[in-house]
Amino acid sequence: MGATPAFAQNASPRKVDVTPYLGIDQVVIAPLKGDGDVLTYTNVTAGVTASVQTRRVEAAADLQYMHSFGWGSQAPDQDTISGIATTNIVLARGLSLHAGGLGTRVRTDGLSGALAQRNSFSSQVWAGYVGPSYATKLGDFDVNAAYTLGYARVDDSVDFGLPGGGRNGAFTDSWTHTLLGSVGFAPDTVLPGVGLKASAGYTREDARQLDQRFEDAWGRVDATVPVSPTLAAVGGIGYEKIEISQRAPLLDANGVPQVRNGRYVTDKGSPRALLYDFDDIIWDAGVLWRPSRRTSLEARVGERYGSMTYQGSFTWQGRDSSIAIALFDGIDSFGRVVTGDVAALSGSNLNVIRNPFTGDLTGCAFSATGGGQCFNDALSGITGANFRYRGVAGQYALQRGPWGFGLGAGYSQRKFITPEGQTVLIRGSKDQNWYGNATATYAISSRDSVDVVTYLNYFDASGNRLDVLNYGIYGSYFRTIGRRLSASASLGIDGVKPDDLESLINAMGQVGLRYSF
């Protein structure tokens, strides 16, 4: 046999699967513990799933609109728009365009994770990003550059008189600009036994709440020194300047801040107050271990933000499974975290997990080929404040024969950077969040399949806000009736336990039909 042509070796398999659908479901939610009536809904859905993989385009999407017709006065009609999308388009050699988005509904009245159908205290979250990246080689030098425009928005109906609500912690929307660039060379190319890279970046976020502004400019030089074929010592040193500022709220005649639609009214004429000012040398050192193309481990310790920092990552990509773990430490905000999570999605094989009773995303998108992401942490305790953000997050996904598994878990701590005198988010106060999601699917036959999903989230809030434990499990059965028609049935339990308040536990049932075009 002759050798495979080079162009054929580099060609990607062409796969385009776009499936629009219409569905109708009947849902019943009954309280097992706590106050509440039995709620009955008829849900009508329209959506599309897409998976695209060609030589120039790699994309995935799961988008859905749902209208819920409530039966009775205690079950109001509701509209829900939710979905995840990610795409990477190769425009030319070395030049790519990346874009993605997220839309989902969450509770932001303090009862994190509780079912939105129980009342109207829910929020619609939007997040997205778009931007080009460029990578090329100039002789022995690797040159990279990227720009990203991000946007995040929360449209809510929160009653700030409820326990856990708070005007000081509100988020409206924000725009984020990020510029990155680097130039460097690998070990033993320009200098014997060492590789060097010079990089720089600039990030600016402008948030509407009190005209808040975040600016971060940095530059650094990193070195890589191999100590064996699979292990290298890494480290870098540089300089960084961060400023966070905002204007004052407009005061009424009694000196009380004015509030409109649950948020402060900004005094446009007030001077910009500096909330955070970091200006110093930054450094870190660690190890990089790459025993194969499938496995990579990096761990670093250093000094940044005026204290010690610890960061690391581990990735493993098998033929039909993947693992990704990250240890992070930075200065962040809700807008930058949620758009960063969307930007972390990649690939064309995302398994987006939805709640069959509400249509909402349950928190994670899994991928056995890598590129999955969990959003639980970003969507818990939404706030307009900046914070020191530390934690660990991990995902595991597998697709083997008829079986599919996904597991996402993590922990984070947010230490708030706020003006002196806030009554809800006190400067230096901390929130902590633990979460876990797991899913298992099994294809019984070409026509029948089942899946089971379980989730757990504990949000430990600071100040006078509620600590909330949310948990649940549900199972679903799917059967293909015809070439385009399928049926589903689901049973589940959802519970929420706020501190000092009674637990709410609901049983849920669903039957439905879906027609795919």
Side-chain angles (χ1 to χ4, degrees), residues 195 197 199 220-225 232-237 282-288 290 297-304 308-313 327-329:
K197 181 175 73 171
S199 56
R220 59 181 290 156
V221 176
D222 285 86
T224 301
V225 180
V234 294
I237 188 169
I282 58 175
W283 65 268
D284 56 54
V287 295
L288 174 62
R290 288 181 177 166
L297 171 66
E298 184 171 6
R300 294 187 181 226
V301 59
E303 188 171 1
R304 194 175 183 183
M308 297 300 293
T309 62
Y310 306 89
Q311 295 180 303
S313 64
L327 179 69
F328 54 87
D329 186 349

PDB file of all heavy atoms in Angstrom, residues 195 197 199 220-225 232-237 282-288 290 297-304 308-313 327-329:
ATOM      1  N   GLY A 195      14.151  27.276  27.406  1.00  0.00           N
ATOM      2  CA  GLY A 195      13.190  27.955  26.561  1.00  0.00           C
ATOM      3  C   GLY A 195      12.687  29.199  27.263  1.00  0.00           C
ATOM      4  O   GLY A 195      12.513  29.199  28.488  1.00  0.00           O
ATOM      5  N   LYS A 197       9.905  32.714  27.092  1.00  0.00           N
ATOM      6  CA  LYS A 197       8.722  33.335  26.497  1.00  0.00           C
ATOM      7  C   LYS A 197       8.444  34.647  27.203  1.00  0.00           C
ATOM      8  O   LYS A 197       8.377  34.705  28.431  1.00  0.00           O
ATOM      9  CB  LYS A 197       7.495  32.415  26.614  1.00  0.00           C
ATOM     10  CG  LYS A 197       6.242  33.011  25.987  1.00  0.00           C
ATOM     11  CD  LYS A 197       5.081  32.042  26.016  1.00  0.00           C
ATOM     12  CE  LYS A 197       4.510  31.869  27.413  1.00  0.00           C
ATOM     13  NZ  LYS A 197       3.252  31.083  27.411  1.00  0.00           N
ATOM     14  N   SER A 199       5.581  37.583  27.576  1.00  0.00           N
ATOM     15  CA  SER A 199       4.147  37.740  27.334  1.00  0.00           C
ATOM     16  C   SER A 199       3.628  38.969  28.066  1.00  0.00           C
ATOM     17  O   SER A 199       4.230  39.452  29.026  1.00  0.00           O
ATOM     18  CB  SER A 199       3.378  36.492  27.789  1.00  0.00           C
ATOM     19  OG  SER A 199       3.635  36.190  29.146  1.00  0.00           O
ATOM     20  N   ARG A 220       5.439  39.708  31.691  1.00  0.00           N
ATOM     21  CA  ARG A 220       6.303  38.773  32.387  1.00  0.00           C
ATOM     22  C   ARG A 220       7.162  37.999  31.404  1.00  0.00           C
ATOM     23  O   ARG A 220       6.865  37.936  30.189  1.00  0.00           O
ATOM     24  CB  ARG A 220       5.503  37.807  33.256  1.00  0.00           C
ATOM     25  CG  ARG A 220       4.486  36.973  32.507  1.00  0.00           C
ATOM     26  CD  ARG A 220       3.738  36.067  33.465  1.00  0.00           C
ATOM     27  NE  ARG A 220       4.600  35.015  33.984  1.00  0.00           N
ATOM     28  CZ  ARG A 220       4.384  34.385  35.146  1.00  0.00           C
ATOM     29  NH1 ARG A 220       3.355  34.730  35.907  1.00  0.00           N
ATOM     30  NH2 ARG A 220       5.196  33.427  35.548  1.00  0.00           N
ATOM     31  N   VAL A 221       8.223  37.378  31.939  1.00  0.00           N
ATOM     32  CA  VAL A 221       9.097  36.492  31.182  1.00  0.00           C
ATOM     33  C   VAL A 221       9.104  35.146  31.885  1.00  0.00           C
ATOM     34  O   VAL A 221       9.304  35.067  33.108  1.00  0.00           O
ATOM     35  CB  VAL A 221      10.527  37.059  31.083  1.00  0.00           C
ATOM     36  CG1 VAL A 221      11.434  36.058  30.374  1.00  0.00           C
ATOM     37  CG2 VAL A 221      10.533  38.382  30.339  1.00  0.00           C
ATOM     38  N   ASP A 222       8.883  34.074  31.125  1.00  0.00           N
ATOM     39  CA  ASP A 222       8.858  32.717  31.668  1.00  0.00           C
ATOM     40  C   ASP A 222       9.962  31.880  31.052  1.00  0.00           C
ATOM     41  O   ASP A 222      10.290  32.024  29.866  1.00  0.00           O
ATOM     42  CB  ASP A 222       7.509  32.054  31.395  1.00  0.00           C
ATOM     43  CG  ASP A 222       6.413  32.588  32.288  1.00  0.00           C
ATOM     44  OD1 ASP A 222       5.803  33.614  31.934  1.00  0.00           O
ATOM     45  OD2 ASP A 222       6.189  32.000  33.350  1.00  0.00           O
ATOM     46  N   ALA A 223      10.506  30.972  31.874  1.00  0.00           N
ATOM     47  CA  ALA A 223      11.556  30.063  31.427  1.00  0.00           C
ATOM     48  C   ALA A 223      11.122  28.620  31.625  1.00  0.00           C
ATOM     49  O   ALA A 223      10.434  28.289  32.591  1.00  0.00           O
ATOM     50  CB  ALA A 223      12.851  30.325  32.199  1.00  0.00           C
ATOM     51  N   THR A 224      11.529  27.758  30.697  1.00  0.00           N
ATOM     52  CA  THR A 224      11.299  26.315  30.789  1.00  0.00           C
ATOM     53  C   THR A 224      12.655  25.615  30.668  1.00  0.00           C
ATOM     54  O   THR A 224      13.371  25.802  29.671  1.00  0.00           O
ATOM     55  CB  THR A 224      10.363  25.827  29.680  1.00  0.00           C
ATOM     56  OG1 THR A 224       9.117  26.512  29.770  1.00  0.00           O
ATOM     57  CG2 THR A 224      10.128  24.327  29.793  1.00  0.00           C
ATOM     58  N   VAL A 225      13.004  24.826  31.687  1.00  0.00           N
ATOM     59  CA  VAL A 225      14.296  24.133  31.702  1.00  0.00           C
ATOM     60  C   VAL A 225      14.035  22.638  31.838  1.00  0.00           C
ATOM     61  O   VAL A 225      13.658  22.154  32.921  1.00  0.00           O
ATOM     62  CB  VAL A 225      15.171  24.624  32.873  1.00  0.00           C
ATOM     63  CG1 VAL A 225      16.509  23.889  32.868  1.00  0.00           C
ATOM     64  CG2 VAL A 225      15.375  26.125  32.806  1.00  0.00           C
ATOM     65  N   ALA A 232      10.064  19.127  33.347  1.00  0.00           N
ATOM     66  CA  ALA A 232      10.759  20.401  33.194  1.00  0.00           C
ATOM     67  C   ALA A 232      10.478  21.286  34.395  1.00  0.00           C
ATOM     68  O   ALA A 232       9.388  21.241  34.974  1.00  0.00           O
ATOM     69  CB  ALA A 232      10.337  21.099  31.908  1.00  0.00           C
ATOM     70  N   ALA A 233      11.454  22.093  34.764  1.00  0.00           N
ATOM     71  CA  ALA A 233      11.250  23.153  35.753  1.00  0.00           C
ATOM     72  C   ALA A 233      10.775  24.398  35.016  1.00  0.00           C
ATOM     73  O   ALA A 233      11.302  24.737  33.950  1.00  0.00           O
ATOM     74  CB  ALA A 233      12.542  23.438  36.504  1.00  0.00           C
ATOM     75  N   VAL A 234       9.759  25.071  35.563  1.00  0.00           N
ATOM     76  CA  VAL A 234       9.194  26.265  34.929  1.00  0.00           C
ATOM     77  C   VAL A 234       9.128  27.384  35.958  1.00  0.00           C
ATOM     78  O   VAL A 234       9.031  27.147  37.163  1.00  0.00           O
ATOM     79  CB  VAL A 234       7.794  25.986  34.345  1.00  0.00           C
ATOM     80  CG1 VAL A 234       7.869  24.992  33.201  1.00  0.00           C
ATOM     81  CG2 VAL A 234       6.848  25.477  35.433  1.00  0.00           C
ATOM     82  N   GLY A 235       9.164  28.590  35.489  1.00  0.00           N
ATOM     83  CA  GLY A 235       9.058  29.729  36.386  1.00  0.00           C
ATOM     84  C   GLY A 235       9.044  31.023  35.613  1.00  0.00           C
ATOM     85  O   GLY A 235       9.396  31.066  34.422  1.00  0.00           O
ATOM     86  N   GLY A 236       8.605  32.090  36.267  1.00  0.00           N
ATOM     87  CA  GLY A 236       8.547  33.370  35.597  1.00  0.00           C
ATOM     88  C   GLY A 236       8.538  34.515  36.578  1.00  0.00           C
ATOM     89  O   GLY A 236       8.244  34.348  37.773  1.00  0.00           O
ATOM     90  N   ILE A 237       8.855  35.704  36.056  1.00  0.00           N
ATOM     91  CA  ILE A 237       8.840  36.917  36.857  1.00  0.00           C
ATOM     92  C   ILE A 237       8.324  38.057  35.988  1.00  0.00           C
ATOM     93  O   ILE A 237       8.539  38.072  34.763  1.00  0.00           O
ATOM     94  CB  ILE A 237      10.249  37.239  37.417  1.00  0.00           C
ATOM     95  CG1 ILE A 237      10.164  38.397  38.406  1.00  0.00           C
ATOM     96  CG2 ILE A 237      11.227  37.540  36.287  1.00  0.00           C
ATOM     97  CD1 ILE A 237      11.460  38.601  39.188  1.00  0.00           C
ATOM     98  N   ILE A 282       5.533  40.329  40.295  1.00  0.00           N
ATOM     99  CA  ILE A 282       4.887  39.021  40.443  1.00  0.00           C
ATOM    100  C   ILE A 282       5.884  37.946  40.002  1.00  0.00           C
ATOM    101  O   ILE A 282       6.719  38.176  39.127  1.00  0.00           O
ATOM    102  CB  ILE A 282       3.588  38.919  39.619  1.00  0.00           C
ATOM    103  CG1 ILE A 282       3.865  39.184  38.132  1.00  0.00           C
ATOM    104  CG2 ILE A 282       2.548  39.897  40.149  1.00  0.00           C
ATOM    105  CD1 ILE A 282       2.660  38.982  37.235  1.00  0.00           C
ATOM    106  N   TRP A 283       5.807  36.776  40.645  1.00  0.00           N
ATOM    107  CA  TRP A 283       6.693  35.671  40.265  1.00  0.00           C
ATOM    108  C   TRP A 283       6.050  34.344  40.638  1.00  0.00           C
ATOM    109  O   TRP A 283       5.166  34.276  41.495  1.00  0.00           O
ATOM    110  CB  TRP A 283       8.055  35.788  40.957  1.00  0.00           C
ATOM    111  CG  TRP A 283       8.000  35.641  42.462  1.00  0.00           C
ATOM    112  CD1 TRP A 283       7.858  36.633  43.378  1.00  0.00           C
ATOM    113  CD2 TRP A 283       8.052  34.403  43.199  1.00  0.00           C
ATOM    114  NE1 TRP A 283       7.818  36.111  44.653  1.00  0.00           N
ATOM    115  CE2 TRP A 283       7.945  34.747  44.575  1.00  0.00           C
ATOM    116  CE3 TRP A 283       8.182  33.067  42.853  1.00  0.00           C
ATOM    117  CZ2 TRP A 283       7.953  33.782  45.583  1.00  0.00           C
ATOM    118  CZ3 TRP A 283       8.201  32.107  43.857  1.00  0.00           C
ATOM    119  CH2 TRP A 283       8.098  32.471  45.198  1.00  0.00           C
ATOM    120  N   ASP A 284       6.489  33.288  39.992  1.00  0.00           N
ATOM    121  CA  ASP A 284       6.092  31.932  40.377  1.00  0.00           C
ATOM    122  C   ASP A 284       7.099  30.944  39.824  1.00  0.00           C
ATOM    123  O   ASP A 284       7.885  31.258  38.919  1.00  0.00           O
ATOM    124  CB  ASP A 284       4.677  31.593  39.899  1.00  0.00           C
ATOM    125  CG  ASP A 284       4.493  31.764  38.405  1.00  0.00           C
ATOM    126  OD1 ASP A 284       5.272  31.191  37.635  1.00  0.00           O
ATOM    127  OD2 ASP A 284       3.570  32.504  38.009  1.00  0.00           O
ATOM    128  N   ALA A 285       7.093  29.739  40.390  1.00  0.00           N
ATOM    129  CA  ALA A 285       7.989  28.669  39.960  1.00  0.00           C
ATOM    130  C   ALA A 285       7.297  27.334  40.193  1.00  0.00           C
ATOM    131  O   ALA A 285       6.435  27.212  41.070  1.00  0.00           O
ATOM    132  CB  ALA A 285       9.310  28.731  40.731  1.00  0.00           C
ATOM    133  N   GLY A 286       7.675  26.330  39.396  1.00  0.00           N
ATOM    134  CA  GLY A 286       7.028  25.025  39.552  1.00  0.00           C
ATOM    135  C   GLY A 286       7.583  23.991  38.608  1.00  0.00           C
ATOM    136  O   GLY A 286       8.733  24.105  38.133  1.00  0.00           O
ATOM    137  N   VAL A 287       6.763  22.983  38.316  1.00  0.00           N
ATOM    138  CA  VAL A 287       7.175  21.876  37.456  1.00  0.00           C
ATOM    139  C   VAL A 287       6.120  21.630  36.390  1.00  0.00           C
ATOM    140  O   VAL A 287       4.928  21.910  36.583  1.00  0.00           O
ATOM    141  CB  VAL A 287       7.396  20.586  38.270  1.00  0.00           C
ATOM    142  CG1 VAL A 287       8.563  20.746  39.230  1.00  0.00           C
ATOM    143  CG2 VAL A 287       6.123  20.179  39.022  1.00  0.00           C
ATOM    144  N   LEU A 288       6.582  21.103  35.260  1.00  0.00           N
ATOM    145  CA  LEU A 288       5.710  20.700  34.156  1.00  0.00           C
ATOM    146  C   LEU A 288       6.065  19.272  33.778  1.00  0.00           C
ATOM    147  O   LEU A 288       7.218  18.977  33.441  1.00  0.00           O
ATOM    148  CB  LEU A 288       5.902  21.634  32.961  1.00  0.00           C
ATOM    149  CG  LEU A 288       5.170  21.264  31.674  1.00  0.00           C
ATOM    150  CD1 LEU A 288       3.664  21.276  31.883  1.00  0.00           C
ATOM    151  CD2 LEU A 288       5.569  22.198  30.539  1.00  0.00           C
ATOM    152  N   ARG A 290       4.997  16.047  31.329  1.00  0.00           N
ATOM    153  CA  ARG A 290       4.254  15.585  30.152  1.00  0.00           C
ATOM    154  C   ARG A 290       4.804  14.229  29.730  1.00  0.00           C
ATOM    155  O   ARG A 290       5.665  14.138  28.843  1.00  0.00           O
ATOM    156  CB  ARG A 290       4.366  16.591  29.011  1.00  0.00           C
ATOM    157  CG  ARG A 290       3.579  17.864  29.247  1.00  0.00           C
ATOM    158  CD  ARG A 290       3.704  18.823  28.091  1.00  0.00           C
ATOM    159  NE  ARG A 290       2.889  20.001  28.290  1.00  0.00           N
ATOM    160  CZ  ARG A 290       2.993  21.121  27.578  1.00  0.00           C
ATOM    161  NH1 ARG A 290       3.901  21.184  26.602  1.00  0.00           N
ATOM    162  NH2 ARG A 290       2.216  22.159  27.822  1.00  0.00           N
ATOM    163  N   LEU A 297       0.643  17.702  33.430  1.00  0.00           N
ATOM    164  CA  LEU A 297       0.485  18.162  34.807  1.00  0.00           C
ATOM    165  C   LEU A 297       1.404  19.352  35.024  1.00  0.00           C
ATOM    166  O   LEU A 297       2.597  19.279  34.742  1.00  0.00           O
ATOM    167  CB  LEU A 297       0.834  17.043  35.790  1.00  0.00           C
ATOM    168  CG  LEU A 297       0.913  17.449  37.275  1.00  0.00           C
ATOM    169  CD1 LEU A 297      -0.456  17.864  37.789  1.00  0.00           C
ATOM    170  CD2 LEU A 297       1.486  16.322  38.112  1.00  0.00           C
ATOM    171  N   GLU A 298       0.842  20.457  35.537  1.00  0.00           N
ATOM    172  CA  GLU A 298       1.639  21.641  35.853  1.00  0.00           C
ATOM    173  C   GLU A 298       1.228  22.158  37.218  1.00  0.00           C
ATOM    174  O   GLU A 298       0.028  22.251  37.516  1.00  0.00           O
ATOM    175  CB  GLU A 298       1.460  22.731  34.803  1.00  0.00           C
ATOM    176  CG  GLU A 298       2.349  23.935  35.035  1.00  0.00           C
ATOM    177  CD  GLU A 298       2.332  24.924  33.881  1.00  0.00           C
ATOM    178  OE1 GLU A 298       1.532  24.722  32.935  1.00  0.00           O
ATOM    179  OE2 GLU A 298       3.124  25.891  33.915  1.00  0.00           O
ATOM    180  N   ALA A 299       2.218  22.487  38.051  1.00  0.00           N
ATOM    181  CA  ALA A 299       1.974  23.027  39.388  1.00  0.00           C
ATOM    182  C   ALA A 299       2.939  24.174  39.634  1.00  0.00           C
ATOM    183  O   ALA A 299       4.137  24.058  39.349  1.00  0.00           O
ATOM    184  CB  ALA A 299       2.145  21.947  40.452  1.00  0.00           C
ATOM    185  N   ARG A 300       2.400  25.305  40.159  1.00  0.00           N
ATOM    186  CA  ARG A 300       3.225  26.483  40.411  1.00  0.00           C
ATOM    187  C   ARG A 300       2.866  27.094  41.757  1.00  0.00           C
ATOM    188  O   ARG A 300       1.711  27.064  42.182  1.00  0.00           O
ATOM    189  CB  ARG A 300       3.032  27.545  39.321  1.00  0.00           C
ATOM    190  CG  ARG A 300       3.522  27.136  37.942  1.00  0.00           C
ATOM    191  CD  ARG A 300       3.437  28.295  36.982  1.00  0.00           C
ATOM    192  NE  ARG A 300       3.883  27.933  35.641  1.00  0.00           N
ATOM    193  CZ  ARG A 300       4.704  28.667  34.892  1.00  0.00           C
ATOM    194  NH1 ARG A 300       5.198  29.806  35.390  1.00  0.00           N
ATOM    195  NH2 ARG A 300       5.047  28.281  33.683  1.00  0.00           N
ATOM    196  N   VAL A 301       3.884  27.695  42.401  1.00  0.00           N
ATOM    197  CA  VAL A 301       3.693  28.462  43.614  1.00  0.00           C
ATOM    198  C   VAL A 301       4.425  29.776  43.422  1.00  0.00           C
ATOM    199  O   VAL A 301       5.497  29.824  42.806  1.00  0.00           O
ATOM    200  CB  VAL A 301       4.213  27.706  44.860  1.00  0.00           C
ATOM    201  CG1 VAL A 301       5.683  27.389  44.717  1.00  0.00           C
ATOM    202  CG2 VAL A 301       3.960  28.504  46.130  1.00  0.00           C
ATOM    203  N   GLY A 302       3.849  30.875  43.907  1.00  0.00           N
ATOM    204  CA  GLY A 302       4.485  32.161  43.694  1.00  0.00           C
ATOM    205  C   GLY A 302       3.866  33.244  44.551  1.00  0.00           C
ATOM    206  O   GLY A 302       3.161  32.973  45.531  1.00  0.00           O
ATOM    207  N   GLU A 303       4.106  34.489  44.146  1.00  0.00           N
ATOM    208  CA  GLU A 303       3.581  35.637  44.883  1.00  0.00           C
ATOM    209  C   GLU A 303       2.891  36.580  43.904  1.00  0.00           C
ATOM    210  O   GLU A 303       3.457  36.960  42.875  1.00  0.00           O
ATOM    211  CB  GLU A 303       4.694  36.374  45.623  1.00  0.00           C
ATOM    212  CG  GLU A 303       4.171  37.455  46.556  1.00  0.00           C
ATOM    213  CD  GLU A 303       5.248  38.034  47.439  1.00  0.00           C
ATOM    214  OE1 GLU A 303       6.417  37.601  47.303  1.00  0.00           O
ATOM    215  OE2 GLU A 303       4.933  38.900  48.272  1.00  0.00           O
ATOM    216  N   ARG A 304       1.646  36.911  44.249  1.00  0.00           N
ATOM    217  CA  ARG A 304       0.843  37.808  43.422  1.00  0.00           C
ATOM    218  C   ARG A 304      -0.273  38.377  44.295  1.00  0.00           C
ATOM    219  O   ARG A 304      -0.667  37.745  45.266  1.00  0.00           O
ATOM    220  CB  ARG A 304       0.253  37.035  42.224  1.00  0.00           C
ATOM    221  CG  ARG A 304      -0.309  37.896  41.111  1.00  0.00           C
ATOM    222  CD  ARG A 304      -0.744  37.030  39.957  1.00  0.00           C
ATOM    223  NE  ARG A 304      -1.227  37.808  38.826  1.00  0.00           N
ATOM    224  CZ  ARG A 304      -1.714  37.281  37.710  1.00  0.00           C
ATOM    225  NH1 ARG A 304      -1.756  35.962  37.565  1.00  0.00           N
ATOM    226  NH2 ARG A 304      -2.144  38.061  36.737  1.00  0.00           N
ATOM    227  N   MET A 308       0.925  34.871  48.813  1.00  0.00           N
ATOM    228  CA  MET A 308       1.305  33.661  48.095  1.00  0.00           C
ATOM    229  C   MET A 308       0.132  33.145  47.272  1.00  0.00           C
ATOM    230  O   MET A 308      -1.031  33.229  47.683  1.00  0.00           O
ATOM    231  CB  MET A 308       1.770  32.591  49.071  1.00  0.00           C
ATOM    232  CG  MET A 308       3.013  32.964  49.869  1.00  0.00           C
ATOM    233  SD  MET A 308       4.446  33.297  48.800  1.00  0.00           S
ATOM    234  CE  MET A 308       4.748  31.657  48.108  1.00  0.00           C
ATOM    235  N   THR A 309       0.438  32.591  46.112  1.00  0.00           N
ATOM    236  CA  THR A 309      -0.575  32.005  45.245  1.00  0.00           C
ATOM    237  C   THR A 309      -0.169  30.589  44.873  1.00  0.00           C
ATOM    238  O   THR A 309       1.021  30.269  44.776  1.00  0.00           O
ATOM    239  CB  THR A 309      -0.756  32.824  43.951  1.00  0.00           C
ATOM    240  OG1 THR A 309       0.475  32.828  43.220  1.00  0.00           O
ATOM    241  CG2 THR A 309      -1.172  34.252  44.250  1.00  0.00           C
ATOM    242  N   TYR A 310      -1.158  29.744  44.648  1.00  0.00           N
ATOM    243  CA  TYR A 310      -0.941  28.347  44.282  1.00  0.00           C
ATOM    244  C   TYR A 310      -1.855  28.027  43.104  1.00  0.00           C
ATOM    245  O   TYR A 310      -3.086  28.197  43.190  1.00  0.00           O
ATOM    246  CB  TYR A 310      -1.246  27.420  45.459  1.00  0.00           C
ATOM    247  CG  TYR A 310      -0.482  27.785  46.717  1.00  0.00           C
ATOM    248  CD1 TYR A 310      -1.005  28.695  47.630  1.00  0.00           C
ATOM    249  CD2 TYR A 310       0.777  27.238  46.974  1.00  0.00           C
ATOM    250  CE1 TYR A 310      -0.307  29.048  48.770  1.00  0.00           C
ATOM    251  CE2 TYR A 310       1.488  27.585  48.109  1.00  0.00           C
ATOM    252  CZ  TYR A 310       0.944  28.492  49.008  1.00  0.00           C
ATOM    253  OH  TYR A 310       1.641  28.840  50.123  1.00  0.00           O
ATOM    254  N   GLN A 311      -1.256  27.577  42.005  1.00  0.00           N
ATOM    255  CA  GLN A 311      -2.022  27.271  40.811  1.00  0.00           C
ATOM    256  C   GLN A 311      -1.530  25.972  40.196  1.00  0.00           C
ATOM    257  O   GLN A 311      -0.362  25.588  40.377  1.00  0.00           O
ATOM    258  CB  GLN A 311      -1.913  28.404  39.784  1.00  0.00           C
ATOM    259  CG  GLN A 311      -2.536  29.718  40.236  1.00  0.00           C
ATOM    260  CD  GLN A 311      -2.398  30.803  39.202  1.00  0.00           C
ATOM    261  OE1 GLN A 311      -1.297  31.130  38.777  1.00  0.00           O
ATOM    262  NE2 GLN A 311      -3.521  31.371  38.791  1.00  0.00           N
ATOM    263  N   GLY A 312      -2.428  25.296  39.482  1.00  0.00           N
ATOM    264  CA  GLY A 312      -2.022  24.054  38.848  1.00  0.00           C
ATOM    265  C   GLY A 312      -3.092  23.531  37.922  1.00  0.00           C
ATOM    266  O   GLY A 312      -4.242  24.006  37.937  1.00  0.00           O
ATOM    267  N   SER A 313      -2.745  22.556  37.111  1.00  0.00           N
ATOM    268  CA  SER A 313      -3.703  21.935  36.205  1.00  0.00           C
ATOM    269  C   SER A 313      -3.249  20.524  35.866  1.00  0.00           C
ATOM    270  O   SER A 313      -2.052  20.220  35.861  1.00  0.00           O
ATOM    271  CB  SER A 313      -3.853  22.746  34.917  1.00  0.00           C
ATOM    272  OG  SER A 313      -2.629  22.766  34.193  1.00  0.00           O
ATOM    273  N   LEU A 327      -6.519  24.102  39.599  1.00  0.00           N
ATOM    274  CA  LEU A 327      -6.394  24.826  40.862  1.00  0.00           C
ATOM    275  C   LEU A 327      -6.155  26.287  40.497  1.00  0.00           C
ATOM    276  O   LEU A 327      -5.189  26.592  39.799  1.00  0.00           O
ATOM    277  CB  LEU A 327      -5.224  24.272  41.675  1.00  0.00           C
ATOM    278  CG  LEU A 327      -4.923  24.933  43.022  1.00  0.00           C
ATOM    279  CD1 LEU A 327      -6.032  24.636  44.022  1.00  0.00           C
ATOM    280  CD2 LEU A 327      -3.575  24.453  43.557  1.00  0.00           C
ATOM    281  N   PHE A 328      -7.047  27.202  40.954  1.00  0.00           N
ATOM    282  CA  PHE A 328      -6.986  28.583  40.475  1.00  0.00           C
ATOM    283  C   PHE A 328      -6.925  29.573  41.630  1.00  0.00           C
ATOM    284  O   PHE A 328      -7.345  29.294  42.756  1.00  0.00           O
ATOM    285  CB  PHE A 328      -8.188  28.894  39.574  1.00  0.00           C
ATOM    286  CG  PHE A 328      -9.527  28.611  40.198  1.00  0.00           C
ATOM    287  CD1 PHE A 328     -10.180  29.559  40.975  1.00  0.00           C
ATOM    288  CD2 PHE A 328     -10.149  27.381  40.014  1.00  0.00           C
ATOM    289  CE1 PHE A 328     -11.409  29.294  41.557  1.00  0.00           C
ATOM    290  CE2 PHE A 328     -11.391  27.110  40.579  1.00  0.00           C
ATOM    291  CZ  PHE A 328     -12.022  28.067  41.364  1.00  0.00           C
ATOM    292  N   ASP A 329      -6.415  30.765  41.317  1.00  0.00           N
ATOM    293  CA  ASP A 329      -6.275  31.838  42.296  1.00  0.00           C
ATOM    294  C   ASP A 329      -6.146  33.143  41.522  1.00  0.00           C
ATOM    295  O   ASP A 329      -5.192  33.317  40.755  1.00  0.00           O
ATOM    296  CB  ASP A 329      -5.037  31.609  43.171  1.00  0.00           C
ATOM    297  CG  ASP A 329      -4.916  32.619  44.304  1.00  0.00           C
ATOM    298  OD1 ASP A 329      -5.662  33.609  44.298  1.00  0.00           O
ATOM    299  OD2 ASP A 329      -4.054  32.412  45.180  1.00  0.00           O
TER     300      ASP A 329
END
